[in-house]
Amino acid sequence: MRALVVAAIAVAGLVVGAPGPGWSQSDSVLVVVPLADVLEGSHYDACRGFVLSRDQALVMLAGEDAHALAGTRALEQGLSATRRQGGERLWASSKPIPADVALQAGIRVLATAGATTVFTVPPEAVYRLLEKGYFVSEVDLRPLAELKQPHFGRDLTLRLLEERPMSEARRDFIHSLADSVNADSLRKIIYLLTYDQAAGQYRSRFAARYDLEDYTEPFILNRLSTLCPAPACSLRSDSFYADLTQLPQYKGGDSIWTNLILTKPGAKTRAHYIVCAHYDAIGVRQPGWDWLADPAPGADDNATGVASVLECARLLSGLNLDVGVTFIAFSGEELGLQGSRAYSNALVPADSVLGVIDLDMLGYVSGLKRTVVTYDIQSKWLSDLITETADALEPAIVTISRDETGVARSDQASFWRVHIPGVMLSDPTNEDGDPLYPYYHTLADTLGQLDIDEVRDNAKLVVAYLARFAAVQADTLSDLKLTSGSMEWKWVGRGYAPFVAGDSLTLLLRAVNVGGSMREPRLYDLEIRQGDRAAGAVVYTGTRTVEVAAGGYAEVTASWKTSAEVYGNLAYTCSFRPAAQGVESDTTNNTIQSTLQVMSPSLVLRGLHVFPNPVTDPAGAKLAFEILMPDLDFAGQLDVRVFDLEGRKVGEALLVRSHTRDDDIAMGKNTVALSSILGGAWDLAPGLYFCVADLALVGGNSASATSKFAVAR
């Protein structure tokens, strides 16, 4: 054994003390050794351990090896061995813990190497460290032989990418898809996750709060379900019991937490990438923060990550990728990576995870805009490929800094524990791996502090990398076209009046493919506006996955509840456009407008006028008016009177409509000879006249309208 021992700690027994003659050969010790020794030799293959940094590893030695180490020169020169109390668990922080902080927190530091400190803690100490800004996670000692075994994800990924060379057409396709990441959508999701507009206050997404399941979890699940419905994708929520033994102050809260998971299978392999972010938040760096009562908005940490995962799912779930992609929103990251630990612990070899891309804190810019990619020793190949993707596109999507320390401060570390490659994309950090963003874990972590363009660029990078596994569009592109007959309205009929304001309306849309056949499913954004496309009010938005052969058509439906305050002849503009650029030969024919007559929920009389105006031909003059009434069967009358400028009545007629007799008044637009209102005689002198109409129903409803006209000779 050629280990350079930095520290040694006994891990068996109940007594604290230095090794001595009474030390049993069955005892075990932890030693810090150069990582190169673990990787290059075979003498540690049978041991269990933990990678502390890019240079050092923590190794557990047992039996004779441990007994021999007890008398080594290294220990005699002052490095002590301390026996751990039975049942204590090992924890690690992402940065060195000074002696005064350790004393104040009540922890026992066992070893410090690089940016990592390994320690044991009493139950309440984890929370004290969180308050001081330390990222902590539990240490699992794993067989070190697994470190040297190349992960299958590297070889499979490289083989699949060889089949998809980065041609000019592929580069254009990937760039177009990445450019389709919508900054407005990201901003809206972050806003909805952090702020309750109805209550006028910031939300809390703290994992132990019972109200997390009232809004946040349903919100994310609903978004995922609309992005890729079954059977194309599978959606599930996995509940797990939170481990609060080290966090006793939260034991009065919810202890059943939930991971939210959407899986899109691959076309060539069952193996899949994981794109993930944690949706919980915390406010422990805010003085006096009360987790039961105070908000924890967590805009940068980590609504930015959740919004990016949802946007990636929107664009990628409609593609026919060679590999599968699983999109996950984890809970409990802020309290020990609990959601990702529960998920990774349950994985079996058949789950075939290629690699993990974790998105955590993406919206802060300090000086140079850049993204930090953090990886461990087994994940370097994935970091290389992501960096290569960013550099291959012109202009480059983001500027990348790479962190090789393997800092275990987010959910990707849970996969490192089980030897699955993973990288974390994040805001810039300092030398200890701590965020430069000054507002993390405080109530000031809100949308107003963020650069949405930075969030968008990180999401674009993930989309671009995974789009490398998609087929480039054929030379003959598809072309979905909307025509005047594309929009068909459906509703529950109400007699004569086909549609009444305030009811639910359903649109059936048929888009014909006048171009080449789609060779794979594609994602289309459906938007319906009341009015024109530029200024009309949006009444419906949604996303659809379609696959249409040449000459075929896509048929989609959309339903929404209309406003009871808006009626008449209303124009609706429907836009059905590809979510990604460069996948259709013509996008100018993806919008169509249709007019629908919407009845008022109550009686309306309007459009009263005489034509032609001025009247020069008594025989040809007519009175026009329009009645809007939601029900067919009614009995009533329209009293029409004509007055001159001095208020004298010069004509009157009573028009009657009843479902039991012939109609004088037809529903909708009506015209009546003006001479019939004047008693058949025409003796009006030239001048200005007023027309007044009162509509009265047997049931008591009434409406009125007025107009004026001129007589000329």
Side-chain angles (χ1 to χ4, degrees), residues 76-88:
E76 292 173 358
Q77 290 178 340
L79 297 175
S80 62
T82 306
R83 298 193 179 191
R84 194 178 67 180
Q85 298 292 333
E88 281 186 325

Side-chain angles (χ1 to χ4, degrees), residues 142 146-147 149-154 272-274 340 343-349 351-357 375-382 411-423:
R142 298 278 170 166
E146 295 180 7
L147 275 181
Q149 297 174 1
H151 190 267
F152 82 95
R154 175 185 179 275
H272 60 107
Y273 276 94
I274 291 175
S340 55
Y343 181 89
S344 60
N345 284 341
L347 289 173
V348 296
D351 289 315
S352 303
V353 180
L354 289 162
V356 177
I357 303 174
Y375 60 95
D376 73 341
I377 188 171
Q378 286 191 303
S379 311
K380 183 178 183 298
W381 65 269
L382 180 54
D411 287 314
Q412 88 287 347
S414 294
F415 296 91
W416 293 347
R417 293 169 42 256
V418 293
H419 298 286
I420 293 175
V423 300

Side-chain angles (χ1 to χ4, degrees), residues 195-216:
Y195 191 74
D196 184 345
Q197 186 174 24
Q201 61 187 18
Y202 287 104
R203 300 184 186 278
S204 173
R205 298 197 313 279
F206 186 60
R209 289 274 290 260
Y210 284 98
D211 54 1
L212 201 65
E213 62 190 26
D214 294 338
Y215 176 81
T216 301

Side-chain angles (χ1 to χ4, degrees), residues 156-234:
L156 179 55
T157 292
L158 293 177
R159 188 171 77 247
L160 290 172
L161 290 180
E162 285 177 0
E163 300 173 7
R164 307 289 192 196
M166 188 65 83
S167 62
E168 194 64 33
R170 175 168 297 280
R171 185 176 285 105
D172 291 344
F173 166 73
I174 292 174
H175 234 319
S176 295
L177 187 70
D179 285 343
S180 300
V181 173
N182 191 314
D184 290 336
S185 177
L186 292 168
R187 181 183 291 104
K188 181 178 180 180
I189 292 171
I190 295 171
Y191 174 79
L192 293 173
L193 285 172
T194 57
Y195 191 74
D196 184 345
Q197 186 174 24
Q201 61 187 18
Y202 287 104
R203 300 184 186 278
S204 173
R205 298 197 313 279
F206 186 60
R209 289 274 290 260
Y210 284 98
D211 54 1
L212 201 65
E213 62 190 26
D214 294 338
Y215 176 81
T216 301
E217 292 169 8
F219 171 81
I220 297 173
L221 277 174
N222 181 64
R223 289 271 174 163
L224 289 172
S225 67
T226 59
L227 295 175
C228 189
C233 294
S234 60

Side-chain angles (χ1 to χ4, degrees), residues 267-451:
K268 291 186 176 181
T269 175
R270 66 178 299 166
H272 60 107
Y273 276 94
I274 291 175
V275 179
C276 62
H278 71 89
Y279 67 89
D280 64 310
I282 198 169
V284 290
R285 293 181 64 242
Q286 183 76 35
W289 181 69
D290 181 353
W291 67 273
L292 282 168
D294 294 335
D300 192 38
D301 187 13
N302 186 35
T304 57
V306 176
S308 297
V309 167
L310 293 175
E311 187 68 359
C312 290
R314 183 179 75 87
L315 293 173
L316 294 169
S317 60
L319 298 179
N320 191 16
L321 299 174
D322 295 337
V323 299
V325 185
T326 298
F327 304 95
I328 309 179
F330 286 123
S331 184
E333 188 270 354
E334 300 290 8
L335 298 176
L337 315 183
Q338 299 215 28
S340 55
R341 283 176 67 90
Y343 181 89
S344 60
N345 284 341
L347 289 173
V348 296
D351 289 315
S352 303
V353 180
L354 289 162
V356 177
I357 303 174
D358 178 31
L359 306 175
D360 195 350
M361 302 179 64
L362 305 175
Y364 178 63
V365 176
S366 176
L368 178 67
K369 294 182 67 170
R370 60 187 174 92
T371 293
V372 176
V373 180
T374 301
Y375 60 95
D376 73 341
I377 188 171
Q378 286 191 303
S379 311
K380 183 178 183 298
W381 65 269
L382 180 54
S383 173
D384 290 344
L385 287 175
I386 290 176
T387 303
E388 173 191 291
T389 302
D391 295 340
L393 302 179
E394 191 63 40
I397 294 178
V398 295
T399 301
I400 287 181
S401 296
R402 300 215 287 174
D403 182 354
E404 301 176 321
T405 60
V407 174
R409 69 173 183 88
S410 191
D411 287 314
Q412 88 287 347
S414 294
F415 296 91
W416 293 347
R417 293 169 42 256
V418 293
H419 298 286
I420 293 175
V423 300
M424 175 183 66
L425 275 57
S426 69
D427 292 338
T429 57
N430 61 21
E431 294 181 355
D432 292 331
D434 290 340
L436 293 178
Y437 180 60
Y439 307 112
Y440 77 95
H441 294 179
T442 72
L443 303 192
D445 184 9
T446 60
L447 179 59
Q449 312 287 2
L450 305 184
D451 183 335

Side-chain angles (χ1 to χ4, degrees), residues 553-677:
Y553 63 89
E555 187 172 272
V556 298
T557 59
S559 299
W560 66 96
K561 185 174 177 60
T562 63
S563 169
E565 306 299 322
V566 182
Y567 46 83
N569 292 322
L570 303 182
Y572 284 93
T573 302
C574 178
S575 173
F576 193 57
R577 304 172 67 85
Q581 302 175 29
V583 299
E584 275 213 13
S585 59
D586 183 6
T587 57
T588 63
N589 56 9
N590 291 81
T591 301
I592 195 69
Q593 188 176 87
S594 175
T595 300
L596 178 68
Q597 186 181 39
V598 180
M599 298 295 181
S600 166
S602 58
L603 183 66
V604 173
L605 173 65
R606 67 180 188 181
L608 185 73
H609 67 280
V610 172
F611 68 95
N613 189 3
V615 176
T616 57
D617 178 13
K622 294 184 178 181
L623 174 69
F625 57 92
E626 186 175 3
I627 297 175
L628 297 180
M629 180 67 196
D631 297 315
L632 169 66
D633 296 329
F634 72 96
Q637 61 185 28
L638 181 70
D639 184 11
V640 183
R641 290 153 291 159
V642 177
F643 299 90
D644 62 16
L645 277 176
E646 297 180 357
R648 294 187 298 255
K649 184 165 61 176
V650 296
E652 181 176 12
L654 193 63
L655 307 178
V656 178
R657 192 261 188 221
S658 170
H659 65 277
T660 59
R661 45 189 291 190
D662 293 337
D663 293 344
D664 291 327
I665 306 173
M667 293 298 295
K669 294 181 179 180
N670 307 267
T671 57
V672 179
L674 182 61
S675 59
S676 66
I677 300 173

Side-chain angles (χ1 to χ4, degrees), residues 445-571:
D445 184 9
T446 60
L447 179 59
Q449 312 287 2
L450 305 184
D451 183 335
I452 296 299
D453 288 341
E454 186 75 1
V455 183
R456 179 202 61 200
D457 289 347
N458 279 280
K460 287 172 62 175
L461 177 58
V462 179
V463 168
Y465 174 68
L466 292 172
R468 295 179 65 176
F469 298 95
V472 175
Q473 306 302 317
D475 293 336
T476 303
L477 298 178
S478 62
D479 181 15
L480 289 191
K481 180 179 181 180
L482 301 181
T483 63
S484 58
S486 297
M487 300 173 73
E488 179 180 337
W489 302 102
K490 294 179 177 295
W491 56 85
V492 178
R494 282 202 182 194
Y496 175 84
F499 182 67
V500 178
D503 286 351
S504 293
L505 180 63
T506 297
L507 170 66
L508 174 64
L509 180 73
R510 292 186 179 92
V512 179
N513 183 9
V514 297
S517 293
M518 293 184 186
R519 298 179 179 268
E520 58 190 27
R522 297 178 189 164
L523 212 61
Y524 277 72
D525 292 330
L526 174 61
E527 179 186 81
I528 303 171
R529 290 178 178 264
Q530 183 181 289
D532 62 36
R533 185 167 184 265
V538 176
V539 296
Y540 179 88
T541 58
T543 304
R544 299 290 190 275
T545 301
V546 298
E547 186 174 10
V548 186
Y553 63 89
E555 187 172 272
V556 298
T557 59
S559 299
W560 66 96
K561 185 174 177 60
T562 63
S563 169
E565 306 299 322
V566 182
Y567 46 83
N569 292 322
L570 303 182

